[in-house]
Amino acid sequence: MSSLFLLLLSTAITAAVASIPAYPSVSTDCTVSAADDNPVPVRREVYGDGRIFDISHRYTVDMPSWGSKGGLGQFLWLPSSMKNGSRSNNSLMKLQSVHSGTHVDAPGHMVDSYFDAGFDVDTLDLDVLNGPALLVDVPRDSNITAKVMESLNIPKGVRRVLFRTLNTDRRLMFKKEFDSSYVGFTTDGARWLAKNTDIKLVGIDFLSAACYDHSVPAHLEFFEGRVRKL
C-alpha cells in the first residue's frame, strides 16, 4: 500500500544551514553540563556527526496552534511533585489540539473512512519517516503550486523533501497567534507532486502542508494513492 506522509516542521535544516537565524543552533557536545552541583541540560540538534538532525519544535505555551489567537496555552501540569512530598515527579500533558508544533498527519486526518478503520500514526512506515531528505527553498512570492513544483526540478528517486518557504523568513512558528496567510501547497501543487515525483514524505515549515484556502482538497491529493488502494 503506497502512501505519502505529511511531516509538519518548525524549520527545515541541513548541516549547511543549522545556524540560520530562524532556527538558532545549540551546543552539540553533551547532554548535561559538567557542573556536578548544578547540572544544566543541553538541548541538542545534531547527533552522530550530522547523521541525525532534530528539527522538531520545542513545545511552549506561546507557540502557535491551529486556529488559535492565544497560542497553545498551558499543556503541562505536575500533579505529583517531589518538592511536595511525592516519591517522584509525574507530569500530566494535555493538548488543546494535536495540530500543534512538529507533527505528522495520520492517514485518517482528512479521510474519514481511514479514521474509522483505525489508520492512525502507528500505521505509518518508519522507513519512510526516517532517512536522508532533500531540502529545497521555495520561491518566496507564491504558494507551492504546480508551476512552482515543476520549477524546483526535484530529481526522480528522491523520497523525502523538506520545503523551506516564506514561513521561515516570517518566523511564523515563533509567533503566538495562528496566521492563516502561511505558505503551503495548493491543490494543483499537491496533485503535481503526487503524479510526477517519487516523494513519499513532505515536510514544511508551518502547521499544515496545504495552504489555508486549499487545506482539504490539497490533503486529499496527497492521500489519493492510499485512498484508491484501500
Side-chain angles (χ1 to χ4, degrees), residues 72-228:
L72 181 62
Q74 184 175 359
F75 61 92
L76 195 62
W77 291 262
L78 192 65
S80 298
S81 170
M82 295 177 70
K83 293 181 178 61
N84 294 331
S86 297
R87 295 178 61 184
S88 62
N89 296 315
N90 289 301
S91 301
L92 170 66
M93 186 175 185
K94 182 178 180 181
L95 295 175
Q96 297 180 27
S97 170
V98 294
H99 215 303
S100 306
T102 308
H103 65 279
V104 62
D105 283 354
H109 178 46
M110 289 283 185
V111 183
D112 204 35
S113 60
Y114 262 57
F115 180 85
D116 292 340
F119 282 86
D120 53 25
V121 292
D122 288 344
T123 65
L124 300 181
D125 186 346
L126 292 181
D127 285 333
V128 174
L129 290 172
N130 292 275
L134 176 67
L135 171 66
V136 297
D137 274 293
V138 175
R140 297 310 202 247
D141 59 351
S142 172
N143 279 308
I144 307 175
T145 63
K147 182 178 180 180
V148 167
M149 278 300 305
E150 187 172 8
S151 73
L152 294 175
N153 295 313
I154 296 172
K156 283 286 188 178
V158 173
R159 301 180 70 208
R160 307 175 193 88
V161 179
L162 309 180
F163 294 86
R164 185 166 56 193
T165 75
L166 184 64
N167 301 331
T168 292
D169 301 347
R170 296 176 63 197
R171 295 178 59 84
L172 292 188
M173 283 301 295
F174 295 88
K175 295 182 178 180
K176 186 175 184 178
E177 183 174 354
F178 172 76
D179 190 332
S180 62
S181 68
Y182 67 88
V183 172
F185 276 84
T186 60
T187 305
D188 71 324
R191 183 184 305 124
W192 197 97
L193 181 149
K195 293 183 179 299
N196 296 281
T197 76
D198 296 321
I199 298 170
K200 296 299 180 184
L201 176 69
V202 168
I204 201 165
D205 49 2
F206 197 56
L207 297 176
S208 176
C211 66
Y212 191 77
D213 291 338
H214 293 240
S215 57
V216 173
H219 275 86
L220 293 180
E221 291 291 342
F222 283 132
F223 292 131
E224 185 183 23
R226 175 181 279 272
V227 173
R228 279 203 305 262

Side-chain angles (χ1 to χ4, degrees), residues 36-55:
D36 294 336
D37 294 336
N38 187 26
V40 178
V42 177
R43 304 186 188 280
R44 301 173 61 189
E45 294 174 0
V46 184
Y47 298 80
D49 294 325
R51 187 175 63 87
I52 297 174
F53 281 80
D54 180 1
I55 53 177

